[in-house]
Amino acid sequence: MGRLSDRAAFEQYAAQAEQRWETLWSGDRWVISVGISECSIAKGALETYRHLELLLSDGHIPAVLRRVGCAGWCFAEPFVEIKLPGQPPIVYGWVTTDRVPDLLDALRRGELRPEWALGVRAGESWQGIPALRDHPFLRSQRRLLLEQAGIIDPESIDDYIATGGYRAFLKALFEMTPEEVVNEVKTSNLRGRGGAGFPTGIKWESGRRTPAWPKYVVVNSHEGEPNVFKDRRLLETNPHLVLEGLLIGCYALETPHGYNYIGGEHALALRRFQKAVEQAYELGLLGDNILGSGFSCHVRVRTGGGAYICGEGSALMYAIMGQRGQPRTKPPRSVEEGLWKRPTVLNNTETFASIPAIIRNGGSWYAALGTKESTGTKLVTMQGPVRYLGVAEIELGMPMRQLIFEVFGGLRDGYRFKGVQTGGVSAGPLREEELDVPVDFDALTPLGAMLGSGGFVVFDDTVCAVDFARYLVAFSRYESCGKCTPCRLGTPALVEILDRIRHGFGRPEDLDVIQYASKHIIDLSLCGLGQVAPMPLLGMLERFREEFIEHITERRCRAGVCPMTAAAPIAS
Amino acid sequence: MEPTKSGQRVDLEPLRRVLEERFRPRDYREAQELVVGACQEAQRLFGWVPPEAAQLIAEHLGVTTNRIYGLLTFYADFRTEPPGRHFLWICHGAACYVAGAGRLVEFLQERYGITGQGTTPDGALTVHVFNGCLGVCDLAPFAQLDHHEYVGRLNLERLQALIAELQGEAQTEAADGSTE
C-alpha cells in the first residue's frame, strides 16, 4: 500500500475498502468482534479474545475474529458481538472467559442465549432478543461520535474509511476554502467540549486573523480530572475520527503543524492514536502535498507526565515545549501567542471529533441538534453507584433526571440518591430536587453547577458532604502547580479547615472563613483552574450546609465517614 | 530489566540506543519537545530516572540537566528514586472515592506513612496514589499493579492481603537470591 496520489486514487481505495467491509458482513463466515479497551481489558477482555482464538483455531467454525473498541457500555464488559451468516449481529455482555465455550457451543446448536444478550443490531427485536437501540442505556442517546464505536476496529484505517471516514476531510480539502470551513463551524455553533464552552468557530477565526507564522493546531487529550474518562475512550475506540477533525482544523488554519497532547497514563489511547497517525502517513492522508492538493500536514503526538494543570491551555503549551506545565497570565490569548509564541488553536479531543460530521452534513444540521445555545451532542460519563456505568452520548438539553435515572439506569439496589457532583472539580453538586435542570452549557451555571467536560459523580448517603468536599479541594491542593500564591496557599488552608471540621474541632466561624478564603482564591488566582478550585466546596456548603453545621456543633457525621476524634483538647 | 538499586551502576546502553533510534530532533524546538518523552523512555527501562540517565538525555538533546530535573520533579509520574519490586497505582478518582478509596489511602498513611507516593520499608512495593482517574470506574475502588495487572473492587482486607502477598513474594525472591 503506497501513498495515494490524488482524490480519484482515494475514491478507488475507499471503494475497495467498502467492498471488503460489505463482503465481511454478508459472507458465509461468522463474524466475532471483541471489544478491547482499557476498561474491558481490566475485566478480562484479552483473555476472552485469546480463548475465542484458541477455540476457533480448530477450524470447526468458519469465523473471522475481530477486535473493536469500547462502545460505552462499561457495565456489560467484556462484550462480544457475534454475527452468524444470515442473521443480524447479536451483542453479548459479560462474556468472561469461562462463558466462552458455553456461548460458542450454544450458538452452534442454534441456541441464541438471549439471557446473555445485550441486544441485537437490527431495527427491531429478533427471535426474542430486543433491539440494541431499545436498551434503556441506548434508547435516549444520540450517537454521532460514538456511532461507529464498538463496530469498527480502531486500529484499522480501512474500517474507518469503509464506514465513511475521511470524506469530510476530502470535502473540505477539495470543495471548500478554509474560510468556508470556519464559517460552517461557526454556523454549527459548536462550543468547546473541554469545559469552558467557548465557540470553536470564533476561536478558529481569531486564529486565522492573527498575522503571524507558523500557526499551530493542538488537540487537548490530557484529561486529568478525577472523574472524566470520555476522551481516552474516544481515542481508544475511534482515533481516526479525532485525527480527521484535527486535519480539518489544520486546513482551516492553513497550517501544516498539528499536535495531540495525550496524558501519559492513557497508554492504550496513546498507542492507538499513534497508530492512526502512522496509518494516515502511509496512505498519504498526512504528510506533504496530501492527495495532490498542495496542502501539507504533519501531526506530532506529545505526552504528559501526570499533572492536572497541563489541561489548562497555556500550561499545556509549556508542557509541549518541554517546560514545567505552568499557566501564564492572559492576554495575550493563545490564539495570538501560544506554542512557540505563535498563534495556536487549542481544542478538546471531543471538539475535534465533532468537526467531521459538521463538515459532512453542514453547520445548520448540527445547530438543529441540542438546544439553541448549546448545540450538538456531548459525551458524558457518570460515576458512582449507578446501574449502567459507562460513556453515553446525549443531545445537549436532556434533563439531568433523565440522564441519571434513564440513561444511566438510576442507582443500584440498596443505594439512596443524595446528590450529583458536576463539572469535575470545578463546580458544585445538585440535590435531588434540582435534577430537572437541562444538561447544557448555560442552564447549570446559575445553580453553581457546571457541564464542564461532562463528568458527573452520583453519590449516596454513605458519602459525607464535608468529606467529599475535602476530597475535591485536596485534589486541587495536590495538583496546584505552585506558580501563584492564592491557589498554592489558599487550597491547603481550605483543606486544613475541613480537616478540623472532620475531626470535630470545627468552629462556627469556620464557615465564614471558608467563604472569605475562597473569595480570595477565586478572585486572585492566575489560571482558570485556580479560580474554580473552591467551587466544589462552596457548592457542597450551600447544598448540604446542615451537615457542616452538624459536624461543628454536634460533632456528628451522619454518614459515619469522618474520623471525629474530637472530645480531646485541640492542643494534643 | 530489574530496576536498579540506588548507588549501583546503571547500564545506559539500552537508553542510548532508544535515544539514537527514535529521538532525533531536527531543530532545537523539537529537541525540547522530546525531553519529557525521553524521560518516560528512561523510566520505562529502569523503573525510575537515574541521575546518569538524566545526564545522558540532557547531553543527547542539548538541554541542561537542570531542565531535566525541573520536569522530573514537576510531573507526578516520574521517580527520581528507585521503586520497590512491585508498583501499585491506587486510583483516587471520584468514582473510587465514592466507593471508599479514601479509607485505603488513609490506611496506607497510617500503616506505612505513605502519602501520595512511597515505598514499603522492606522495598517490596511502591505505592502511588493516582490523583486522577484510571478510567475503570466500574471496578471501583480500583488499582493497577505493575502497569498491567488490574485489581478491582478493593476493600481494606483485599488491599492488606495483596500487600502481604507481594511482600511474601519479595521475601522469597530475596531468599532465593541469597542462596545462589
Side-chain angles (χ1 to χ4, degrees):
Chain A
M1 173 172 79
R3 282 175 65 87
L4 302 171
S5 55
D6 53 21
R7 191 177 189 178
F10 177 87
E11 300 294 357
Q12 199 188 347
Y13 184 87
Q16 286 165 359
E18 277 165 25
Q19 183 70 45
R20 279 194 299 270
W21 182 252
E22 203 56 43
T23 320
L24 172 72
W25 293 102
S26 59
D28 49 9
R29 292 199 292 173
W30 293 29
V31 183
I32 304 181
S33 320
V34 185
I36 294 186
S37 58
E38 194 95 49
C39 56
S40 62
I41 290 173
K43 293 197 200 160
L46 283 177
E47 285 77 10
T48 299
Y49 185 87
R50 287 192 208 109
H51 201 161
L52 281 163
E53 203 170 35
L54 187 75
L55 290 180
L56 295 171
S57 63
D58 64 4
H60 285 317
I61 303 173
V64 186
L65 184 60
R66 305 167 68 236
R67 178 184 39 209
V68 297
C70 163
W73 43 69
C74 297
F75 63 92
E77 274 165 345
F79 76 90
V80 175
E81 183 190 296
I82 301 182
K83 184 196 178 299
L84 268 59
Q87 296 183 3
I90 303 171
V91 178
Y92 293 97
W94 309 278
V95 187
T96 41
T97 161
D98 51 316
R99 283 185 173 180
V100 168
D102 249 14
L103 183 63
L104 281 191
D105 278 348
L107 285 167
R108 276 174 77 178
R109 287 195 306 269
E111 293 167 25
L112 294 177
R113 288 288 166 135
E115 69 274 20
W116 290 349
L118 208 59
V120 55
R121 273 196 210 277
E124 50 201 42
S125 69
W126 183 80
Q127 301 270 335
I129 301 175
L132 191 62
R133 65 175 188 195
D134 289 334
H135 189 281
F137 178 66
L138 296 161
R139 197 165 31 202
S140 319
Q141 290 194 41
R142 174 70 195 253
R143 292 190 153 198
L144 297 180
L145 310 183
L146 294 182
E147 198 185 349
Q148 306 296 348
I151 297 176
I152 61 169
D153 178 355
E155 300 191 17
S156 157
I157 194 171
D158 287 5
D159 276 16
Y160 184 66
I161 290 175
T163 50
Y166 287 111
R167 303 304 197 289
F169 172 55
L170 259 70
K171 181 178 174 189
L173 190 59
F174 291 107
E175 296 165 27
M176 296 166 84
T177 63
E179 290 87 358
E180 282 168 349
V181 173
V182 173
N183 279 334
E184 215 54 64
V185 176
K186 270 173 77 181
T187 314
S188 77
N189 203 7
L190 171 69
R191 292 170 67 173
R193 270 19 181 177
F198 189 81
T200 308
I202 294 180
K203 195 186 264 186
W204 287 19
E205 194 171 52
S206 4
R208 277 188 65 79
R209 258 207 304 263
T210 315
W213 187 259
K215 296 178 185 183
Y216 298 96
V217 180
V218 183
V219 187
N220 181 352
S221 304
H222 178 262
E223 203 172 48
E225 279 174 307
N227 44 10
V228 185
F229 52 93
K230 48 137 188 132
D231 288 346
R232 74 193 84 156
R233 285 295 111 78
L234 186 58
L235 286 170
E236 281 168 16
T237 196
N238 202 349
H240 283 287
L241 184 67
V242 180
L243 184 58
E244 186 177 1
L246 174 59
L247 271 166
I248 296 170
C250 286
Y251 176 71
L253 269 289
E254 297 181 69
T255 174
H257 304 295
Y259 281 87
N260 191 355
Y261 184 83
I262 303 179
E265 61 274 14
H266 314 328
L268 187 65
L270 177 64
R271 208 169 58 229
R272 287 195 173 155
F273 188 79
Q274 259 164 344
K275 186 148 189 187
V277 169
E278 282 163 26
Q279 289 171 338
Y281 267 113
E282 274 171 31
L283 215 53
L285 292 168
L286 272 177
D288 293 326
N289 192 14
I290 296 170
L291 302 178
S293 65
F295 171 69
S296 305
C297 188
H298 294 271
V299 169
R300 295 171 179 181
V301 182
R302 298 286 178 251
T303 58
Y308 170 59
I309 186 68
C310 292
E312 201 273 348
S314 59
L316 184 147
M317 291 175 203
Y318 283 116
I320 291 182
M321 293 188 273
Q323 302 193 15
R324 291 165 76 102
Q326 293 176 315
R328 63 163 167 75
T329 24
K330 276 155 266 181
R333 294 173 305 142
S334 41
V335 286
E336 291 151 358
E337 258 182 43
L339 205 53
W340 304 115
K341 294 221 163 199
R342 290 293 180 269
T344 303
V345 165
L346 175 109
N347 284 119
N348 183 257
T349 320
E350 196 188 335
T351 314
F352 278 109
S354 306
I355 299 290
I358 293 173
I359 299 302
R360 213 166 37 234
N361 303 318
S364 40
W365 166 84
Y366 192 84
L369 297 169
T371 67
K372 192 165 173 297
E373 296 300 325
S374 305
T375 58
T377 62
K378 177 88 187 73
L379 297 178
V380 288
T381 55
M382 187 73 69
Q383 304 179 328
V386 293
R387 188 161 287 130
Y388 304 131
L389 247 160
V391 186
E393 183 176 0
I394 55 160
E395 255 187 78
L396 284 163
M398 176 187 280
M400 182 66 97
R401 194 181 297 279
Q402 187 187 0
L403 182 65
I404 297 176
F405 291 95
E406 194 184 314
V407 175
F408 289 100
L411 270 72
R412 294 200 285 262
D413 293 338
Y415 292 92
R416 280 224 341 265
F417 183 88
K418 178 171 177 176
V420 55
Q421 166 66 15
T422 65
V425 294
S426 315
L430 294 175
R431 287 178 77 133
E432 163 96 53
E433 56 270 23
E434 297 165 307
L435 292 185
D436 291 309
V437 61
V439 177
D440 68 21
F441 282 105
D442 308 306
L444 291 163
T445 319
L447 298 172
M450 191 177 155
L451 173 61
S453 46
F456 300 107
V457 185
V458 166
F459 51 99
D460 68 329
D461 45 18
T462 62
V463 174
C464 163
V466 179
D467 195 64
F468 197 12
R470 186 212 180 259
Y471 163 80
L472 293 164
V473 179
F475 175 85
S476 296
R477 175 196 62 178
Y478 182 87
E479 294 292 346
S480 173
C481 77
K483 181 163 177 172
C484 72
T485 15
C487 170
R488 185 180 70 219
L489 302 179
T491 47
L494 292 180
V495 172
E496 205 173 291
I497 297 168
L498 288 169
D499 271 340
R500 200 157 65 211
I501 298 176
R502 282 172 69 238
H503 282 86
F505 299 114
R507 299 173 303 226
E509 62 268 30
D510 278 344
L511 299 185
D512 299 327
V513 182
I514 288 176
Q515 300 278 1
Y516 181 73
S518 298
K519 188 176 180 316
H520 282 292
I521 303 175
I522 294 167
D523 289 348
L524 301 174
S525 287
L526 185 63
C527 77
L529 304 190
Q531 287 158 12
V532 297
M535 291 314 216
L537 168 58
L538 294 179
M540 286 286 172
L541 186 55
E542 199 188 320
R543 294 294 187 285
F544 301 100
R545 198 176 181 89
E546 69 282 1
E547 271 186 55
F548 283 76
I549 291 173
E550 240 170 54
H551 277 72
I552 293 171
T553 55
E554 298 171 33
R555 295 182 174 174
R556 188 166 75 85
C557 172
R558 61 170 81 170
V561 178
C562 296
M564 285 295 164
T565 42
I570 295 178
S572 65
Chain B
M1 179 176 169
E2 276 291 292
T4 44
K5 296 277 176 296
S6 185
Q8 278 187 352
R9 276 180 62 86
V10 179
D11 179 15
L12 291 175
E13 224 20 71
L15 179 62
R16 190 170 285 129
R17 261 201 311 278
V18 171
L19 288 177
E20 272 161 20
E21 253 171 51
R22 293 185 10 225
F23 291 82
R24 305 166 63 139
R26 280 159 289 192
D27 53 34
Y28 77 101
R29 285 182 175 164
E30 198 177 357
Q32 299 183 64
E33 287 179 10
L34 292 176
V35 176
V36 174
C39 294
Q40 281 166 338
E41 281 301 330
Q43 178 147 314
R44 203 175 55 77
L45 287 168
F46 305 117
W48 62 302
V49 186
E52 299 86 342
Q55 185 70 41
L56 177 69
I57 294 168
E59 282 163 15
H60 180 82
L61 293 174
V63 298
T64 62
T65 325
N66 259 348
R67 177 71 170 280
I68 307 272
Y69 272 89
L71 297 173
L72 293 182
T73 51
F74 182 78
Y75 292 110
D77 290 354
F78 289 120
R79 286 184 288 274
T80 48
E81 280 171 10
R85 281 163 192 266
H86 291 283
F87 179 78
L88 188 72
W89 247 352
I90 291 202
C91 181
H92 202 214
C96 292
Y97 165 79
V98 170
R103 188 69 203 95
L104 308 178
V105 174
E106 265 168 34
F107 163 75
L108 291 170
Q109 154 92 53
E110 287 161 13
R111 176 74 178 73
Y112 300 105
I114 294 174
T115 43
Q117 178 159 190
T119 305
T120 54
D122 59 357
L125 175 69
T126 293
V127 184
H128 186 163
V129 177
F130 184 77
N131 225 22
C133 176
L134 289 175
V136 192
C137 308
D138 204 16
L139 295 180
F142 177 76
Q144 197 186 32
L145 183 63
D146 295 331
H147 295 286
H148 67 269
E149 214 175 294
Y150 299 87
V151 201
R153 310 239 155 83
L154 275 173
N155 54 31
L156 211 49
E157 290 77 52
R158 290 197 62 189
L159 179 66
Q160 282 170 322
L162 178 70
I163 294 179
E165 187 191 325
L166 295 172
Q167 286 182 324
E169 214 176 274
Q171 271 174 7
T172 330
E173 278 171 34
D176 288 351
S178 63
T179 53
E180 269 170 26

